[in-house]
């Protein structure tokens, strides 16, 4: 893994910031969220060109080979810009799952495409109850005459409809196993789910006797999923923290310029105190996300605690900031044209995508020994 | 021994090590009371501090004429570290002593000559005479008056929330010296002698039934003109100097919190209490416990990030959030403790230690959410100084103080 200096991290962040401030401004986000695919392939190629799509893919497979700390920083920019892309699904969740499974032949085949953005991969883990726990898995695999076949349903698959390759977790008589399925394979049924966050794409995928390639995993498949989830949660925490911070700063700017009763509304303590409370939330979310990234990077003992803390602290901070931001703006933010609701929609989606805040609080207290 | 002839770090380190080896007996630590500055220093501590001051280790970044060595801040830190490594108190007072620093910065020459040494040696005790019953959050609204009569001021009024007033030799006092100018412009700052007939100290009974603070009634108390700091009517500025030193000390404590977060591998107290009460499996309580612990951990993480930023030479907005965060932590911990106990929290007395704790902490949390600036004032400060939001219009800052409305 490549380790960046503090300066290199800032430079990486700055270059992502520059690209997204043009390529993913509000107009671009609104245009992209109305497309069926939900991402801008030209911007995706630009992100691939600067090494962001292959950020965590190692250099041998054409990526930048950086770790959780760099990923988290990039995600702060991704969240701030409300980027519409399969980055979290393909570049983070799927790539991390492949690393966890450690099937070298498979990685040689899939990772280069993932890194250059030409192959979009995603992971199909949970069923219709949306629980990221072993009992949430509702796809089963059977080995018949040396061939694996999958049946069942996976849901909440992020960017499933854009995916070329699916990494599917299935229950088998030998426990959980991971399988590779081409998205166009016979017996695969894809249904795009209508999402409250229009910048998100979720898919329900049905499997009817689908021929699947068994991954020769080096560790138990659920362990690989759990590891990939940890990295994905850190990335998501970064997105939430960055988005919350952007939300607050644009709201504070508005409160300085919006005049009522002859003075800026930000001079009223009723408004000012909301902003001060949100600053505590957003700064704490930045601290939590970066700490979780650092813990994962060190593979520290406290990683489970740090990741679950970041998961609910950042989720709650983003929801609170986006929600309060609408209240602080007043009527203007109740209009479709104002971007505040886009942040609230993303916040509410992010807060459920890989487990709710109460789910992660429970994980946190368990990590503390209770 | 002057800034024109700087010593190298290594030479300095050797000198302080050698001096400590010759003078400090580690077994002394218990007798002198450790590295904490405490009210009413023991004779052993005073004797030790005397040595430290005479050897110029107490305030090494100060000028040579005032017990210092004219060293840079980074060299002064070398001395602090060497003292800390053998747990010897008394070094680094150029960072930690609000009293001495304020006096050095703003005091008259006679007052510095009289008190700087004794303060550094803890031979005199100090207290703060700032807040009044009618001037809490609005500190510039003080009504204690100081009137010049010949070579001294005569002071009348009432101060409150003074800790250590009963044993203090001097109080840092703000009093009004001009009633015909706006409120900030008519205040002066004094070292007020406490051991005189015009000063009456009464303990204040708190909602916790403890008495950590006093009310101070001031009736025709005498303050020599030499004890005025910074000149007549510039007291608000001097106060800002003193508050800045106070904050920098509090900041040192806040930064210390990081190691506290790391060292403890013990079970979180809320988890232990819930286990003991047999309610650890209650899913609703588990959520509340997790959230209360999270507030604490997040504050430690903020402090660690502030510290790392400072070391990189940058600052973070999180710096100003510690006090507000701490007040939420304390109120929430107390609330969750109470929820864990349920009806047991109805009781009082030594037969009910868990209830005593929860009930005490519930009340004492206000010490942090009101003391040293209420949460509401803190939110104003964060909104205005950190986020750059405009101030509320002020109705009392440009009129003569005597025309300002009072309750």
């Amino acid at each position: 893994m490549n380790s960046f200096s503090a300066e290199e991290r800032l430079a990486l962040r700055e270059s992502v910031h520059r690209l997204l401030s043009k390529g993913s401004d509000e107009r671009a986000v609104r245009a992209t969220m109305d497309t069926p695919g939900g991402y801008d392939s030209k911007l995706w190629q630009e992100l691939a060109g600067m090494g962001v799509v292959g950020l965590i893919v190692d250099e041998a497979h054409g990526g930048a080979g950086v770790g959780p700390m760099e990923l988290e920083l990039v995600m702060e920019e991704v969240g701030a810009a409300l980027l519409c892309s399969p980055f979290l699904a393909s570049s983070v969740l799927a790539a991390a799952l492949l690393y966890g499974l450690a099937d070298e032949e498979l990685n040689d085949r899939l990772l280069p495409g993932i890194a250059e953005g030409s192959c979009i991969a995603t992971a199909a883990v949970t069923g219709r109850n949306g629980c990221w726990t072993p009992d949430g898995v509702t796809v089963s695999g059977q080995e018949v005459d040396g061939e694996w076949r999958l049946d069942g349903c996976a849901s909440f698959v992020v960017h499933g409809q854009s995916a070329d390759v699916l990494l599917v977790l299935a229950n088998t008589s030998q426990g959980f196993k991971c399988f590779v399925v081409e998205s166009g394979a016979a017996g695969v049924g894809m249904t795009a789910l209508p999402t409250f966050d229009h910048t998100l794409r979720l898919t329900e995928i049905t499997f009817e006797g689908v021929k699947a390639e068994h991954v020769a995993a080096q560790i138990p498949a659920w362990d690989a999923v759990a590891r990939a989830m940890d990295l994905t949660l850190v990335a998501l925490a970064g997105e939430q923290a960055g988005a919350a911070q952007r939300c607050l700063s644009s709201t504070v700017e508005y409160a300085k310029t919006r005049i009522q009763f002859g003075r800026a509304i930000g001079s009223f303590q009723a408004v000012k105190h909301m902003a001060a409370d949100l600053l505590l939330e957003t700064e704490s979310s930045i601290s939590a996300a970066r700490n979780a990234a650092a813990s994962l990077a060190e593979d520290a003992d406290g990683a489970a605690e740090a990741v679950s803390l970041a998961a609910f602290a950042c989720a709650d901070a983003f929801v609170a900031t986006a929600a309060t931001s609408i209240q602080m703006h007043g009527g203007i933010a109740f209009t479709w044209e104002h971007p505040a609701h886009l942040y609230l929609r993303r916040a509410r989606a992010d807060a459920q995508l890989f487990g709710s805040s109460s789910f992660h609080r429970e994980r946190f207290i368990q990590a503390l020994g209770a | 021994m002057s800034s024109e002839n700087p010593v190298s770090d290594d030479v300095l380190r050797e000198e302080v090590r050698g001096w400590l080896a010759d003078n400090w007996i580690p077994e002394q630590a218990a007798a002198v009371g450790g590295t904490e500055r405490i009210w009413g220093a023991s004779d052993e501590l005073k004797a030790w501090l005397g040595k430290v001051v005479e050897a110029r280790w107490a305030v090494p970044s100060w000028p040579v004429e005032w017990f210092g060595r004219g060293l840079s801040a980074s060299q002064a830190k070398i001395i602090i570290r060497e003292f800390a490594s053998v747990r010897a108190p008394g070094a680094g007072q150029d960072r930690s002593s609000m009293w001495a620093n304020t006096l050095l910065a703003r005091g008259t020459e006679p007052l510095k000559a009289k008190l700087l040494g004794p303060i550094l040696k803890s031979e005199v005790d100090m207290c703060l005479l700032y807040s009044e019953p009618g001037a809490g959050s609005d500190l510039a609204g003080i009504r204690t008056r100081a009137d010049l009569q010949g070579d001294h001021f005569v002071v009348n009024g009432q101060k409150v929330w003074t800790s250590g007033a009963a044993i203090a030799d001097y109080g840092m006092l703000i009093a009004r010296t001009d009633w015909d100018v706006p409120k900030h412009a008519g205040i002066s700052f004094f070292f007020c002698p406490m051991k005189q007939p015009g000063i009456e100290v009464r303990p204040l009974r708190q909602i916790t039934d403890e008495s950590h603070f006093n009310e101070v009634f001031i009736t025709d108390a005498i303050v020599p003109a030499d004890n005025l700091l910074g000149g007549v009517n510039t007291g608000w500025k001097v106060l800002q100097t003193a508050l800045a030193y106070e904050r920098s000390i509090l900041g040192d404590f806040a930064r210390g919190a990081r190691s506290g977060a790391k060292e403890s591998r013990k079970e979180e107290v809320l988890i232990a209490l819930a286990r003991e009460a047999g309610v650890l499996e209650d899913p609703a309580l588990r959520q509340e416990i997790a959230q209360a612990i999270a507030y604490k951990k997040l504050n430690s993480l903020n402090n660690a990030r502030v510290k790392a930023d400072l070391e990189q030479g940058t600052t973070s907005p999180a710096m100003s959030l510690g006090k507000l965060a701490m007040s939420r932590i304390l109120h929430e911990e107390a609330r969750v403790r109470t929820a864990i106990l349920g009806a047991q929290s109805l009781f009082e007395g030594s037969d009910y230690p868990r209830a005593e704790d929860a009930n005490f902490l519930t009340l004492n949390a206000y010490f942090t959410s009101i003391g040293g600036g209420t949460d509401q004032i803190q939110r104003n400060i964060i909104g205005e100084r950190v986020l750059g939001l405009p101030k509320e219009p002020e109705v009392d800052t440009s009129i003569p103080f005597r025309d300002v409305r009072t309750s």
Side-chain angles (χ1 to χ4, degrees):
Chain A
M1 194 194 295
N2 280 334
S3 181
F4 275 31
S5 68
E7 291 75 32
E8 288 171 317
R9 280 192 197 124
L10 280 182
L12 170 68
R13 178 182 189 147
E14 183 53 33
S15 59
V16 174
H17 177 82
R18 249 181 286 123
L19 178 62
L20 295 187
S21 62
K22 274 184 257 139
S24 180
D25 61 5
E26 185 189 339
R27 191 196 50 78
V29 168
R30 286 179 184 273
T32 307
M33 74 184 192
D34 287 338
T35 62
Y39 74 102
D40 171 1
S41 53
K42 185 171 154 282
L43 180 61
W44 183 247
Q45 282 313 315
E46 284 177 304
L47 284 165
M50 60 188 279
V52 171
V53 173
L55 199 64
I56 67 161
V57 175
D58 60 293
E59 286 173 304
H61 290 116
V66 300
M69 295 178 73
E70 291 75 19
L71 172 64
E72 189 278 338
L73 268 193
V74 166
M75 288 303 292
E76 288 182 24
E77 292 297 331
V78 164
L82 289 180
L83 174 67
C84 307
S85 85
F87 182 78
L88 194 66
S90 187
S91 303
V92 183
L93 177 58
L97 182 53
L98 285 171
Y99 279 115
L101 295 164
D103 177 339
E104 278 186 32
E105 185 277 326
L106 182 66
N107 287 358
D108 289 343
R109 187 149 42 94
L110 291 182
L111 285 172
I114 290 175
E116 67 175 29
S118 59
C119 169
I120 291 173
T122 191
V125 177
T126 68
R128 286 191 178 125
N129 74 0
C131 275
W132 291 83
T133 53
D135 50 7
V137 178
T138 55
V139 176
S140 58
Q142 266 195 311
E143 195 173 16
V144 182
D145 303 330
E147 265 191 353
W148 284 94
R149 301 249 171 194
L150 302 183
D151 288 281
C153 170
S155 196
F156 302 97
V157 181
V158 185
H159 273 276
Q161 59 259 59
S162 310
D164 305 296
V165 172
L166 307 171
L167 303 174
V168 185
L169 188 71
N171 245 317
T172 76
S173 57
Q174 304 152 43
F176 286 118
K177 286 190 174 297
C178 206
F179 298 89
V180 179
V181 175
E182 303 276 320
S183 59
V188 173
M190 294 258 190
T191 308
L193 299 171
T195 49
F196 174 69
D197 173 14
H198 295 193
T199 69
L200 172 70
R201 292 294 177 273
L202 287 181
T203 317
E204 185 166 289
I205 306 177
T206 53
F207 300 87
E208 285 180 46
V210 175
K211 267 201 257 182
E213 177 190 348
H214 167 234
V215 179
Q218 301 298 305
I219 62 170
W222 184 262
D223 293 354
V225 169
R227 279 195 199 177
M229 283 304 304
D230 275 350
L231 187 67
T232 306
L233 286 169
V234 164
L236 189 67
E239 165 166 315
Q240 291 163 325
Q245 210 172 30
R246 175 70 59 87
C247 231
L248 176 59
S249 65
S250 58
T251 305
V252 166
E253 282 317 302
Y254 182 75
K256 287 179 190 172
T257 50
R258 168 74 174 172
I259 307 292
Q260 293 284 275
F261 303 99
R263 51 199 258 218
I265 60 168
S267 67
F268 290 99
Q269 294 186 19
V271 174
K272 187 179 291 173
H273 289 193
M274 287 166 125
D277 285 336
L278 290 181
L279 184 68
L280 177 55
E281 300 306 320
T282 58
E283 288 297 318
S284 299
S285 73
I286 296 275
S287 297
R290 293 185 187 170
N291 174 61
S295 295
L296 267 196
E298 293 166 20
D299 202 20
D301 292 342
E305 177 191 319
V307 172
S308 53
L309 173 62
F312 70 85
C314 297
D316 293 348
F318 186 18
V319 170
T321 307
T324 308
S325 145
I326 293 179
Q327 188 65 29
M328 290 170 72
H329 277 86
I332 186 70
F334 193 63
T335 66
W336 187 266
E337 285 71 25
H338 194 277
H341 73 105
L342 302 181
Y343 282 90
L344 182 61
R345 286 166 189 268
R346 176 71 72 92
R348 287 169 54 86
D350 283 354
Q352 301 295 338
L353 209 46
F354 299 108
S356 66
S357 285
S358 49
F359 173 77
H360 292 295
R361 263 192 294 275
E362 176 58 35
R363 290 183 62 210
F364 173 66
I365 198 171
Q366 285 180 21
L368 292 173
Chain B
M1 211 191 288
S2 86
S3 47
E4 285 95 53
N5 298 311
V7 294
S8 77
D9 290 2
D10 290 337
V11 170
L12 179 67
R13 196 175 290 112
E14 282 315 307
E15 187 185 347
V16 62
R17 272 184 197 169
W19 187 86
L20 282 167
D22 292 343
N23 292 279
W24 175 245
I25 306 157
E27 291 72 37
Q28 253 177 298
V32 301
T35 54
E36 311 288 319
R37 170 75 199 268
I38 45 164
W39 297 113
S42 66
D43 290 341
E44 290 86 350
L45 178 56
K46 286 178 190 167
W48 166 252
L49 291 175
K51 281 190 187 181
V52 176
V53 171
E54 297 310 325
R56 297 177 181 275
W57 300 125
V59 286
S61 66
W62 281 14
V64 178
E65 58 267 39
W66 296 115
F67 309 102
R69 293 169 177 250
L71 295 182
S72 66
S74 70
Q75 287 203 323
K77 270 191 188 168
I78 293 175
I79 295 164
I80 293 176
R81 272 196 291 270
E82 291 303 322
F83 269 66
S85 72
V86 295
R87 301 189 51 76
Q93 294 195 58
D94 40 4
R95 279 168 65 89
S96 67
S97 173
M98 162 180 65
W99 324 105
N101 279 295
T102 305
L103 178 55
L104 179 77
R106 303 293 189 140
T108 59
E109 294 302 307
L111 192 65
K112 287 197 276 191
K114 183 176 173 189
L115 287 180
L116 272 180
I119 288 176
L120 294 174
K121 296 171 191 170
S122 285
E123 289 168 1
V124 300
D125 288 303
M126 300 287 303
C127 68
L128 292 176
L129 301 169
Y130 293 168
S131 297
E132 297 179 7
S137 293
D138 178 18
L139 193 55
I142 52 160
R143 291 182 168 268
T144 292
R145 61 185 306 140
D147 300 293
L148 185 61
Q149 290 182 9
D151 62 352
H152 64 269
F153 288 85
V154 177
V155 183
N156 282 281
Q158 185 186 346
K159 294 289 176 179
V160 75
W161 303 118
T162 300
S163 48
I167 63 158
D169 299 293
Y170 291 88
M172 294 212 300
L173 166 78
I174 49 172
R176 190 159 302 280
T177 38
D178 191 340
W179 299 70
D180 296 314
V181 291
K183 64 179 189 179
H184 294 93
I187 295 172
S188 299
F189 193 108
F190 304 92
F191 267 46
C192 174
M194 295 293 285
K195 305 270 166 67
Q196 59 169 311
I199 302 276
E200 186 197 348
V201 177
R202 291 188 208 155
L204 197 64
R205 188 175 176 189
Q206 299 161 212
I207 55 174
T208 56
D209 207 10
E210 301 164 301
S211 294
H212 292 318
F213 300 94
N214 303 284
E215 295 177 283
V216 178
F217 296 85
I218 308 172
T219 312
D220 293 332
I222 305 298
V223 179
D226 279 346
N227 291 24
L228 171 70
L229 278 74
V232 176
N233 292 342
T234 66
W236 191 252
K237 263 190 171 166
V238 182
L239 177 68
Q240 299 314 308
T241 306
L243 291 176
Y245 284 118
E246 190 175 358
R247 274 193 287 267
S248 78
I249 301 164
L250 292 174
D252 283 349
F253 282 122
R255 291 199 284 278
R258 188 190 189 183
S259 54
K262 271 192 169 174
E263 79 189 5
S264 155
R265 279 286 131 209
K266 265 188 356 198
E267 184 162 61
E268 289 286 341
V269 63
L270 291 177
I271 294 175
L273 284 172
R275 198 188 295 285
E276 179 188 284
V279 292
L280 188 55
E281 300 313 312
D282 178 332
L285 263 183
R286 289 173 73 83
Q287 291 282 314
E288 298 199 51
I289 292 169
Q291 187 62 55
I293 295 170
Y295 287 140
K296 198 177 64 179
K297 300 233 170 201
L298 291 169
N299 190 43
S300 299
L301 293 174
N302 280 342
N303 288 338
R305 187 156 65 85
V306 165
K307 188 183 175 198
D309 283 348
L310 285 175
E311 280 164 4
Q312 301 267 335
T314 57
T315 59
S316 141
M319 224 165 139
S320 323
L321 296 169
K323 184 166 185 296
L324 191 59
M326 189 50 75
S327 105
R328 176 163 74 175
I329 290 166
L330 296 172
H331 279 286
E332 275 301 290
E333 278 184 355
R335 191 184 63 75
V336 175
R337 269 179 188 254
T338 308
I340 290 169
L341 290 183
Q344 289 295 312
S345 65
L346 288 164
F347 301 124
E348 183 171 81
S350 54
D351 286 347
Y352 302 96
R354 297 291 182 247
E356 285 275 284
D357 285 349
N359 293 331
F360 168 77
L361 291 169
T362 299
L363 297 174
N364 204 51
Y366 292 98
F367 176 81
T368 297
S369 60
I370 296 175
T374 62
D375 284 0
Q376 286 62 40
I377 291 292
Q378 211 58 33
R379 289 186 177 99
N380 282 351
I381 292 171
I382 293 164
E384 288 159 18
R385 299 199 195 151
V386 183
L387 294 172
L389 291 167
K391 285 173 83 75
E392 294 247 22
E394 292 170 308
V395 297
D396 63 347
T397 47
S398 52
I399 57 172
F401 185 75
R402 71 168 75 250
D403 298 333
V404 171
R405 192 177 154 196
T406 62
S407 16

